[in-house]
Amino acid sequence: MALLRALIRTARMARNSSGLAAGLPADDEVLLDAPDDRLGPALVGAGRGEYGITAKLLATTREAAEWENRDRYTMRLAGFARSRGEWLDTWQSDSPHDPDALLVKAELAVRRWWDSPARAELLRQVGPLITAAAEGDPHDPVPWRIALDHARGTNAGHTEFEKLWGEAVRRSPHHYGCHVAALKYLSAAWYGSHRECFDFAERAAQDALPGSLVQALPVRAAFAFLTEGGGAVVPRERLDAAADLAIAVSAAYGPADPWPAEVRNLLTYVLIRLERWTDALEQLRLIGPYATSFPWDRVSDDPLGQFLELRDGVRLEVASHMPVHPRSEHGGRAPSGDH
């Protein structure tokens, strides 16, 4: 019987998997962490050692209160500066009090020491840089997102963290990055539990603005539970509800949209773990060419290769559950055409 089931499964995959590739870009068309049209030129300029385009981009996000874009761009630019930081050094030298340069400098400093065995001690020395970034523009919530990450890395207690959280939401009550930072602090892997993590995520999703990525926060709580384990068991119904909510958020955006790409990649991971293959395949179609390092870098040193491998695996899983013989419109099996 086991051999028979394997043969049937192989037959189904051979017949159906090629058709399920419709809507999926070819492997060589998939990009990892592709920048949008605004960030791309800034990264190119930084690669040449120039900061002008970056300075203009971040100044625009600050002046227009584009806090979500500002946060994303800051993280990407700081990540780039870890390996190629000449442009940032020049920028800081030319404009030591520029609030945008101070912001990237603070984010870079936190990233630089995060993986050190002496993380907490080293990060405490970064505090003045975060304070300087926050003073650069008192309306900007992004330094407070950095402060929330910094507090997690320095083993800050709940009281101190709640004070920082209050400063963050006072500036932007629905800021996605600050909510993610808080969720990480409350996770079982850090200073909370799976229950606290889910409770926070679900309350935030209920209070979120229509179309906001904060509505998908529970799927991050589901990811934390699925990857960290330990602690109390989360009912399957709660995991499915988190995935369903994220599916609804994803549906509010167009296919191959880079803005929700990370949420869609994260949702796909959760759907795979829940063995919801058809839903996962639909998200892969919506992702299009926009693979993101997170969450695949949590399970592989080759996030793009992991994404592509799992994409094929999802397609084959869906195919394996499809009937071998397609039905005719009259309800019977379609004729083979061989007589």
Side-chain angles (χ1 to χ4, degrees):
M1 289 297 294
L3 178 59
L4 178 60
R5 284 195 295 270
L7 290 173
I8 293 174
R9 182 181 178 88
T10 302
R12 287 173 175 169
M13 288 190 291
R15 179 183 292 271
N16 296 318
S17 62
S18 60
L20 292 173
L24 297 175
D27 285 2
D28 59 3
E29 295 175 352
V30 178
L31 307 172
L32 186 68
D33 300 326
D36 64 21
D37 293 340
R38 299 170 71 188
L39 179 61
L43 291 173
V44 171
R48 295 195 298 259
E50 303 166 0
Y51 66 84
I53 300 175
T54 294
K56 182 177 180 180
L57 174 63
L58 291 182
T60 298
T61 62
R62 174 168 45 84
E63 293 161 1
E66 296 178 26
W67 305 131
E68 302 289 6
N69 280 329
R70 182 172 177 78
D71 199 8
R72 288 193 180 195
Y73 295 157
T74 297
M75 288 191 284
R76 289 294 303 276
L77 289 162
F80 186 83
R82 287 195 69 176
S83 57
R84 303 187 65 180
E86 301 85 358
W87 59 277
L88 182 56
D89 294 336
T90 304
W91 189 9
Q92 292 172 323
S93 177
D94 292 347
S95 305
H97 303 295
D98 187 306
D100 306 314
L102 290 171
L103 185 66
V104 178
K105 183 178 180 180
E107 172 70 16
L108 173 60
V110 172
R111 287 175 174 242
R112 179 170 285 148
W113 301 124
W114 192 263
D115 295 324
S116 169
R119 174 174 58 207
E121 179 182 349
L122 293 170
L123 283 180
R124 289 189 185 100
Q125 302 172 23
V126 174
L129 296 179
I130 300 174
T131 299
E135 292 173 347
D137 184 345
H139 303 288
D140 186 358
V142 181
W144 296 97
R145 192 272 303 157
I146 300 174
L148 291 170
D149 286 337
H150 178 261
R152 178 164 53 96
T154 54
N155 306 320
H158 279 67
T159 300
E160 180 180 350
F161 190 87
E162 287 171 6
K163 290 180 181 178
L164 296 173
W165 171 248
E167 294 289 346
V169 297
R170 185 165 64 85
R171 288 162 173 80
S172 183
H174 306 289
H175 187 264
Y176 179 67
C178 289
H179 278 78
V180 171
L183 189 74
K184 291 178 180 177
Y185 183 90
L186 294 171
S187 70
W190 289 92
Y191 309 111
S193 65
H194 294 312
R195 180 184 59 79
E196 289 178 278
C197 194
F198 266 93
D199 288 349
F200 172 79
E202 289 166 354
R203 284 196 303 270
Q206 290 174 359
D207 296 338
L209 298 173
S212 169
L213 294 182
V214 174
Q215 289 182 314
L217 210 61
V219 87
R220 275 190 172 262
F223 173 80
F225 170 73
L226 292 168
T227 55
E228 294 164 7
V233 174
V234 176
R236 170 66 188 244
E237 294 77 13
R238 203 171 192 182
L239 299 174
D240 280 321
D244 291 340
L245 185 55
I247 287 172
V249 173
S250 175
Y253 295 88
D257 186 340
W259 177 253
E262 184 177 275
V263 166
R264 282 173 169 165
N265 277 256
L266 177 63
L267 171 58
T268 299
Y269 176 92
V270 171
L271 291 169
I272 289 172
R273 290 291 302 271
L274 297 177
E275 298 185 5
R276 292 175 55 171
W277 307 114
T278 301
D279 289 334
L281 182 60
E282 175 58 22
Q283 291 306 310
L284 287 166
R285 291 196 175 104
L286 291 173
I287 288 169
Y290 293 107
T292 57
S293 290
F294 178 79
W296 313 113
D297 60 0
R298 300 300 190 271
V299 295
S300 173
D301 293 332
D302 178 13
L304 180 57
Q306 182 73 76
F307 173 83
L308 295 174
E309 181 179 341
L310 287 175
R311 193 176 68 156
D312 287 341
V314 168
R315 187 163 53 88
L316 293 177
E317 285 289 346
V318 172
S320 73
H321 292 90
M322 294 174 67
V324 178
H325 300 285
R327 300 282 179 173
S328 72
E329 62 180 356
H330 300 295
R333 287 183 177 175
S336 67
D338 296 326
H339 297 289

